[in-house]
Amino acid sequence: MYDPTVARLTYRALLGRRRALILGALPLLLIVIAVVVRALTGADDQTAVNVLGGFALATMVPIIGVIAGTGAIGPEIDDGSVVYLLSKPLKRPTIIFTKLIVAVAVTMVFSAVPTLIAGLILNGNGQQIAVAYTVAALVASIAYAALFLLLGTVSRHAVVFGLVYALVWEALFGSLVPGARTLSIQQWALAVAHKVAGGELVTSDVGLTTATVLLVLVTVLATWYAGQKLRSLTLAGEE
């Protein structure tokens, strides 16, 4: 289910000079914000929650997920170079699964690692806040990568749709419409963070069991359907 050649090509595409600069911008900004906030306010648990929840998990992680997930396959479909992969004796689900692994790894590195660093800067991991949000970033990275990889497979406007979901649905509707939070990867990840941190500082509108089931379901279904779409794309090209 994993092909090293596909992985190497995908890493090269995702970590090219321009895309790497884009991927690194938000993590760098998060760490700068953490340093400034710590210098101005000192170590404060609630401030750490506000920064990690309001910027890291709500903005940085999904945007990086959009870049990594759609960038793992979308450009190849757009410029037609995906034909090179499809001409190889590789199962289509293997291509998708390999690209998912790469997208997840890139999203985790550029989101979970700076989240942990920022959390340690903000309050030294008081009440397990830094670790809780790092775990949340890790689990969210998997679901975001799978969802946005699917978008990259089915649409030429995947980046736009991904940003609409991440910034409009989750950030805007999620803050205004309580029911929308149930369909939010951010809230599912927060449920995991709440379990890790304990206490009442980290909260979620979704229970842990529901969140876990939905995270797994979205990841599995998105990966499966992306494989099916890639298979149908192959058939269309052969016809």
Side-chain angles (χ1 to χ4, degrees):
M1 291 298 293
Y2 179 86
D3 185 84
T5 301
V6 174
R8 184 174 65 255
L9 293 173
T10 307
Y11 275 119
R12 186 180 301 170
L14 285 179
L15 299 178
R17 181 176 301 177
R18 185 175 64 179
R19 188 168 276 116
L21 289 175
I22 297 173
L23 285 169
L26 284 175
L28 179 60
L29 179 59
L30 172 64
I31 293 174
V32 170
I33 290 173
V35 170
V36 172
V37 169
R38 176 61 185 267
L40 294 176
T41 65
D44 181 77
D45 294 341
Q46 185 59 58
T47 300
V49 168
N50 293 341
V51 174
L52 297 180
F55 182 77
L57 193 61
T59 302
M60 182 185 73
V61 180
I63 290 179
I64 290 176
V66 169
I67 297 171
T70 61
I73 195 169
E76 292 177 309
I77 294 178
D78 291 342
D79 63 20
S81 60
V82 71
V83 173
Y84 169 79
L85 286 179
L86 300 182
S87 66
K88 301 299 179 182
L90 292 171
K91 294 181 179 179
R92 304 311 174 244
T94 297
I95 296 174
I96 289 296
F97 186 74
T98 302
K99 287 182 173 294
L100 174 64
I101 294 299
V102 173
V104 168
V106 171
T107 306
M108 284 182 172
V109 169
F110 283 91
S111 61
V113 173
T115 297
L116 177 60
I117 295 172
L120 294 175
I121 292 172
L122 287 165
N123 78 331
N125 196 37
Q127 299 195 53
Q128 293 293 304
I129 290 173
V131 170
Y133 276 100
T134 300
V135 173
L138 289 172
V139 298
S141 294
I142 300 173
Y144 280 131
L147 178 62
F148 298 138
L149 178 64
L150 171 60
L151 286 178
T153 306
V154 302
S155 174
R156 292 181 178 273
H157 306 290
V159 173
V160 175
F161 290 137
L163 291 176
V164 167
Y165 172 80
L167 301 180
V168 178
W169 177 263
E170 290 202 341
L172 181 58
F173 283 95
S175 63
L176 298 176
V177 183
R181 297 169 191 165
T182 306
L183 300 177
S184 167
I185 293 175
Q186 177 189 340
Q187 290 297 324
W188 306 341
L190 280 172
V192 179
H194 173 71
K195 178 65 176 180
V196 174
E200 299 301 325
L201 278 174
V202 183
T203 60
S204 173
D205 293 325
V206 182
L208 179 61
T209 301
T210 301
T212 303
V213 170
L214 290 173
L215 283 166
V216 173
L217 193 62
V218 165
T219 302
V220 171
L221 289 180
T223 304
W224 172 81
Y225 191 59
Q228 297 303 307
K229 294 300 292 183
L230 192 62
R231 180 175 294 157
S232 67
L233 177 67
T234 306
L235 293 175
E238 292 172 350
E239 292 172 357

